[in-house]
Amino acid sequence: MKQILVVDDEPRIAGIVKDYLERAGYGVALAGNGADALAVARARRPDLVVLDLGLPGMDGLDVTRKLRTLSNVPIIMLTARVEERDKLIGLELGADDYVTKPFSPRELVARVRAVFRRIDAAPERGDLIRAGPVTIDKRRMQATLADRAIDLTPTEFELLATLGRQPGRVFTRAQLLDAIRGVEVESFDRAIDAHVKNVRRKLEPEPRKPRFVLTVHGVGYKFTE
């Protein structure tokens, strides 16, 4: 059974989320603040974290930063902040997805399932992708540059695999969103820019002068040929 940590300081919302996730077949632990969330994450090592950004004291962005020093556990943000900039900050810190409050619990369950589908997808032919010095092993969810392992979140890995599978092909932001989240998930195009920024920071020797993940201005991105 997949284990999910739900972090929200509003007991009513946390209870509703817990109820829906348990009905969907997941185990759920709750935390009401950032310190407790980090303690539970260290002790239980959840498979996914649902994290409210508007926590008292240590807010959700601070918790995300701390979690990313511990592991690449998938993080879905809950946010009442409607500004695109706030969502981008969370994504750039390493969150995989976000849901805007007020939200449908069924939509949140669908997002959780989508993340686990990406992680648990059955291996297929062509799951070992080599693009220049970059090797992408979808079976093991691992990427390497020469002999150096690249520590990617599930969303960052799927983005790199999508680009690396077809070097030279130009993908629009919308196509990349479909590939990493599914067409049923509503999002905004600049979310891809945040994930690309993270991939470049981890993969590129000089992130500001990328060699592998290239921008095609006015269109989207491609992997170098």
Side-chain angles (χ1 to χ4, degrees), residues 18-222:
K18 182 175 186 290
D19 183 50
Y20 271 81
L21 289 172
E22 286 181 339
R23 286 191 216 169
Y26 302 111
V28 180
L30 298 179
N33 58 62
D36 288 349
L38 293 173
V40 174
R42 290 189 181 98
R44 300 197 182 186
R45 298 190 177 276
D47 298 295
L48 184 143
V49 178
V50 175
L51 175 63
D52 180 27
L53 290 190
L55 298 172
M58 181 189 298
D59 71 9
L61 296 178
D62 290 332
V63 175
T64 300
R65 290 187 184 94
K66 294 286 188 181
L67 285 172
R68 280 290 164 258
T69 67
L70 301 175
S71 74
N72 280 322
V73 60
I75 299 172
I76 297 178
M77 303 181 300
L78 298 179
T79 176
R81 304 170 185 177
V82 297
E83 292 295 327
E84 190 173 285
R85 177 179 173 276
D86 292 321
K87 297 170 186 174
L88 285 171
I89 291 172
L91 294 172
E92 288 176 358
L93 289 174
D96 289 84
D97 203 353
Y98 69 90
V99 176
T100 303
K101 290 183 174 179
F103 63 91
S104 160
R106 290 186 179 87
E107 178 191 359
L108 177 59
V109 171
R111 300 286 184 106
V112 168
R113 284 175 170 155
V115 170
F116 285 138
R117 276 199 303 271
R118 293 200 301 270
I119 296 172
D120 299 335
E124 300 173 355
R125 291 186 63 188
D127 274 356
L128 189 63
I129 302 165
R130 290 189 175 91
V134 179
T135 299
I136 303 163
D137 188 340
K138 292 204 70 178
R139 185 184 296 270
R140 295 184 174 87
M141 290 283 290
Q142 293 176 351
T144 57
L145 173 60
D147 295 325
R148 178 172 66 89
I150 309 300
D151 199 18
L152 301 172
T153 69
T155 297
E156 292 161 4
F157 180 87
E158 190 61 37
L159 174 62
L160 181 61
T162 299
L163 292 167
R165 191 179 291 111
Q166 299 183 65
R169 175 184 168 181
V170 179
F171 289 85
T172 66
R173 289 172 175 83
Q175 288 171 330
L176 291 172
L177 280 170
D178 289 351
I180 67 174
R181 295 190 184 175
V183 294
E184 77 281 1
V185 175
E186 182 180 353
S187 189
F188 61 104
D189 286 355
R190 288 187 63 201
I192 284 295
D193 298 338
H195 294 308
V196 167
K197 182 178 179 180
N198 286 341
V199 170
R200 283 174 170 166
R201 176 171 53 81
K202 297 175 180 181
L203 175 69
E204 302 281 359
E206 294 184 67
R208 294 188 178 183
K209 298 178 181 179
R211 293 168 46 195
F212 305 112
V213 180
L214 307 179
T215 300
V216 180
H217 293 288
V219 184
Y221 297 97
K222 69 176 182 178

